Amino acid sequence: RAASGLSAVAPGMEDDALAGNRLFLLAGESLKVPFKFQSFDAEPVSFDSSSSDIKRGAPDEGLHLRSRAVAVHFVNADDGTSASVLHVDIRPRAMTVARTFRFQTAENEFFKERLPPPPGVATRDASGRGCLAVRASDPAVAAAVVTTESEEDGEVDEVALRYKCGEGSAAFYVCVYADSFLGTLAAVWRVFVHATPKVDVSSLVGQSSHASVVVQGGGATRRVAAFCSHPDELQVSPDRLTLPPGALTELQLAFRPLIPGRLDVAVHLVDLEKGELVHSRLVATDARGPVVSKTFDVDAAPGARAHKKITYTNPYARPRTFHLRCTHPLLLHFRPDRLDLPAGGSRPMGLTFEPAEDWERATRGAAGGVRGAPAEVLVFINDEDDATEECFRIRVHADPR
């Protein structure tokens, strides 16, 4: 019944002529039988993540575009003999892709992503029931429409994708339908999942942790540059290097988090001459909150910088050098940013805070949306090895009025 409203039924055929897959005919009676063809047969595409296919996109070999024939048998239900055979020649056409998505995830892990429905496509019918449906071309991909609760928009329908990644990257198609019977195609998406090797790094906020990765050169010598998605927290050394063919090159990673939590940082090696992506690495970081020893309060006025001095004492029986860092380096400045203290010696460190309007603009929403709530900044006193000796919390009361 749902399909009959999408296209006209064959002329001369009654609505109840077919009972499932059974057709009742009188002696000498002829009838035109309607056919509807729908195929999800699209072979998954796999390609090497180190090749330039990541930049250009994989070719269309994944579409099952070869011509083929399907045999439809009309069988006598009484004795099981074949009354007629109809051969249907199928010549598929390529899909019209509305959007292309590219995601990067770790090898041998589950890829999970939620995408908004196509614009202009209704997700619920007049009675409020969900009418959106999705289907992925790769049977290894689980695609479904899920409903989530949002404080602003209430119930929101999203397209959820789940895929078990291997060691290579893959591509597949997602067909989005405007009805639950997969009759009206609303959009076709092409999704690329780039599975890259992963390295795990954990550290305390404000303290550096180091790791190393090994990269193997390709068939020719390449001059590459290293880029990462979060350069303020992860540094790659060296950032310019030469990859000899077939040789192993070690890269050093320094992770100094600014806020606690988990974060996936993408590191890319790009050929400086051709601009091609040579190698990718996913760094899974885990930042833990530091132990705060003291808390201070500072009032920031509009249009003027605020100043504060905090005295720090070297607790060791030998001279030590301490470096000062913070979670908001653009809003808080140190004078000086390094303390050379003798055994048991003390020295004040000067702190300069930007005007109140800068704090209010930079930390908007950080205090749970409560206007006038103080902004918090952490000050780290690190040793020569960049390990945190002590951590101060400073609450900045910024009123831009």
Side-chain angles (χ1 to χ4, degrees), residues 49-135:
S49 61
S50 62
S51 67
S52 57
D53 282 341
I54 294 181
K55 178 172 66 71
R56 298 193 312 267
D60 282 338
E61 297 92 24
L63 282 173
H64 202 58
L65 296 179
R66 63 179 181 272
S67 300
R68 56 195 185 274
V70 175
V72 180
H73 296 268
F74 293 87
V75 180
N76 193 329
D78 294 333
D79 55 9
T81 59
S82 178
S84 177
V85 178
L86 176 65
H87 289 275
V88 181
D89 293 327
I90 300 172
R91 298 179 178 86
R93 295 181 299 177
M95 297 182 184
T96 302
V97 178
R99 291 194 63 181
T100 299
F101 298 91
R102 294 180 181 270
F103 301 98
Q104 193 167 25
T105 186
E107 290 181 343
N108 302 315
E109 291 190 0
F110 275 101
F111 161 76
K112 300 177 183 179
E113 187 65 30
R114 292 191 176 185
L115 302 174
V121 178
T123 60
R124 297 184 177 274
D125 55 18
S127 60
R129 294 177 298 180
C131 60
L132 204 65
V134 293
R135 180 73 179 263

Side-chain angles (χ1 to χ4, degrees), residues 28-311:
E29 183 182 5
S30 62
L31 190 66
K32 293 183 179 180
V33 180
F35 289 92
K36 294 182 183 296
F37 174 79
Q38 188 176 40
S39 174
F40 300 98
D41 192 3
E43 299 170 355
V45 181
S46 297
F47 49 91
D48 186 4
S49 61
S50 62
S51 67
S52 57
D53 282 341
I54 294 181
K55 178 172 66 71
R56 298 193 312 267
D60 282 338
E61 297 92 24
L63 282 173
H64 202 58
L65 296 179
R66 63 179 181 272
S67 300
R68 56 195 185 274
V70 175
V72 180
H73 296 268
F74 293 87
V75 180
N76 193 329
D78 294 333
D79 55 9
T81 59
S82 178
S84 177
V85 178
L86 176 65
H87 289 275
V88 181
D89 293 327
I90 300 172
R91 298 179 178 86
R93 295 181 299 177
M95 297 182 184
T96 302
V97 178
R99 291 194 63 181
T100 299
F101 298 91
R102 294 180 181 270
F103 301 98
Q104 193 167 25
T105 186
E107 290 181 343
N108 302 315
E109 291 190 0
F110 275 101
F111 161 76
K112 300 177 183 179
E113 187 65 30
R114 292 191 176 185
L115 302 174
V121 178
T123 60
R124 297 184 177 274
D125 55 18
S127 60
R129 294 177 298 180
C131 60
L132 204 65
V134 293
R135 180 73 179 263
S137 62
D138 189 346
V141 179
V145 178
V146 296
T147 302
T148 57
E149 294 289 341
S150 175
E151 295 182 357
E152 298 179 357
D153 304 327
E155 293 185 349
V156 178
D157 294 322
E158 296 177 315
V159 177
L161 303 177
R162 180 184 175 94
Y163 174 66
K164 180 65 168 66
C165 298
E167 295 184 355
S169 299
F172 52 88
Y173 296 87
V174 176
C175 298
V176 184
Y177 294 89
D179 64 294
S180 58
F181 298 98
L182 310 184
T184 304
L185 183 62
V188 177
W189 296 339
R190 194 172 192 184
V191 181
F192 291 87
V193 179
H194 304 291
T196 59
K198 185 185 74 169
V199 58
D200 296 306
V201 179
S202 63
S203 178
L204 289 173
V205 174
Q207 180 174 302
S208 294
S209 291
H210 300 272
S212 62
V213 296
V214 177
V215 179
Q216 185 175 11
T221 302
R222 287 177 178 259
R223 181 67 178 171
V224 298
F227 301 92
C228 68
S229 58
H230 296 76
D232 53 341
E233 294 188 318
L234 183 70
Q235 292 78 39
V236 182
S237 177
D239 57 352
R240 298 287 192 276
L241 67 152
T242 301
L243 295 180
L248 300 178
T249 303
E250 187 177 21
L251 293 178
Q252 299 296 329
L253 305 177
F255 174 59
R256 184 190 296 121
L258 297 178
I259 57 176
R262 295 179 180 270
L263 181 67
D264 290 336
V265 182
V267 177
H268 291 165
L269 298 183
V270 181
D271 191 303
L272 291 176
E273 296 181 358
K274 301 180 180 180
E276 295 180 348
L277 180 62
V278 178
H279 183 80
S280 296
R281 189 63 62 100
L282 195 67
V283 183
T285 65
D286 183 12
R288 305 182 303 275
V291 178
V292 177
S293 58
K294 296 180 181 179
T295 301
F296 302 91
D297 291 277
V298 173
D299 294 327
R305 292 181 174 180
H307 303 275
K308 186 176 182 62
K309 286 187 178 182
I310 300 176
T311 301

